[in-house]
Amino acid sequence: MAPQLSAPSARTAEQLVSPLMTGLLELYLDLHRHPELSGAEQRTAARLADRLSALGCTVASGIGGHGVVGVLRNGEGPTVVLRTELDALPLVEQTSLAYTAPADLGAMHACGHDVHIACAVGAAALLAQDTDTWRGTLVVLGQPAEEDLSGAQALLDDGLERYTGRPDVILAQHVTPLPAGYVAHAPGPVTAAGATLELRVHGRGGHSGLPQLAANPVPAAAGIIVALHALQAREPVVVTIGTVHSGTRPNIIPDVVTLGLSLRAATAAAVERAIAEVGRIARACCAAAGLSQPPELIRGAESPAGVNDPEAARLVRAAHERAFGAARIAALPPSTATDDFPRLAALGGGAPVPTVYWMLGSAGAQRWRDAPGASAAEKAAALPANHSPAFAPDPAPTLRTGVAALHAAARAFLALP
Ligand SMILES: [Zn+2]
Ligand SMILES: [Zn+2]
């Protein structure tokens, strides 16, 4: 996998994007105003498909749900996949932006997948207008349902390979509250292994005035919630209880409490140990509360840890250093974020396809300057993060660098004419 082409030189990488900016901002704002939840990305997928068709890509839609693939064949050479997610989150946006998503949609692009879509379209546009300078196949992949960690597997199960063959490399970037204009790289692990769980604590419902005739599952669930925090002290694992549902009225003892859990750790084995521990803690709390029925632990979506292919990651980093200068490349510390992107390494079968994933700064200059804190880490922590209803990438500088970063990375693998 030797680099065949050099990336555009430092001054030109983002200048190349300038003529596309009006169209890309229009796409970004349209997507931002029309967020769609995981599995319901119909409109978003159609917008992406339209843009890719207009660039001359052969487009297929409805793969693994609302998955979209746009293929630009340009002679013999490597196949490079640029992956973007399509889905938004069930949040009501709380920013003061002029293009806020309407509250009645009950969704928001709080993870920045709208940025990723516009960046992938921009990179494809640059390559489509420049086909005499490279050879190979460019694939833009719009993946549905990333937020529930199901979409990548659904694409594979629905025969994504029919459209892509076995690619030579799969690339993805993700926005983060670092300064716009920067990218962050890691040579190895980039995202954590994760699992979602539903834990049902069963009691016996009844009248609140007659608790001796019922078995209230709520105190047991409260005990489980407190005890699960001790788990984090024993093993480097992040346990988040994101949902707690039970009951209808204060004077009715409910039958069941349902907890929604998210677990993250460095490896799938550590996640597995944590799941077993959650089960033990839940059973012990239920027994201590005198509930006769053991709790149910239902496994949901899981994703493996994301580990960059070292050689491919080195090529992308080198391309970004040429494009942006070494001063604009930040080091990416180990993360507890999860993404089902690593599953795509199984595309085409056989040995895993090399994957590279990097982070893209999204905080505008003013916002970054105003963020409290002396160090970059303090400032990044002070800004609203992904999945916050106040998450607000600065579109123009983020798209400019994001398009240039994907373009430079793709060119690092495509062949010379
Ligand atoms: Zn997310
Ligand atoms: Zn995301």
Side-chain angles (χ1 to χ4, degrees), residues 97-126:
L97 300 170
Y99 47 90
T100 303
D104 61 355
L105 292 179
M108 174 196 174
H109 269 295
C111 207
H113 298 173
D114 45 358
V115 172
H116 304 169
I117 297 167
C119 289
V121 167
L126 288 178

Side-chain angles (χ1 to χ4, degrees), residues 3-13 16 315-324 404-413:
Q4 307 278 329
L5 283 178
S6 35
S9 67
R11 295 285 305 157
T12 60
L16 278 174
L315 292 179
V316 173
R317 186 185 174 118
H320 287 172
E321 283 178 358
R322 286 192 299 274
F324 306 127
L406 269 186
H407 178 236
R411 286 183 68 98
F413 297 95

Side-chain angles (χ1 to χ4, degrees), residues 85 111 113 116 146-147 174 339 387:
E85 319 87 321
C111 207
H113 298 173
H116 304 169
E146 185 282 325
E147 291 293 356
H174 206 298
D339 194 310
H387 292 209

Side-chain angles (χ1 to χ4, degrees), residues 7-22:
S9 67
R11 295 285 305 157
T12 60
E14 283 150 319
Q15 285 171 359
L16 278 174
V17 186
S18 293
L20 304 175
M21 282 302 291
T22 304

Side-chain angles (χ1 to χ4, degrees), residues 330-377:
L332 182 60
S335 167
T336 50
T338 54
D339 194 310
D340 64 354
F341 175 66
R343 289 215 186 278
L344 295 172
L347 187 51
V353 176
T355 58
V356 186
Y357 187 93
W358 65 91
M359 304 306 274
L360 173 68
S362 63
Q366 183 69 43
R367 211 168 151 86
W368 184 256
R369 266 197 305 276
D370 293 348
S375 69

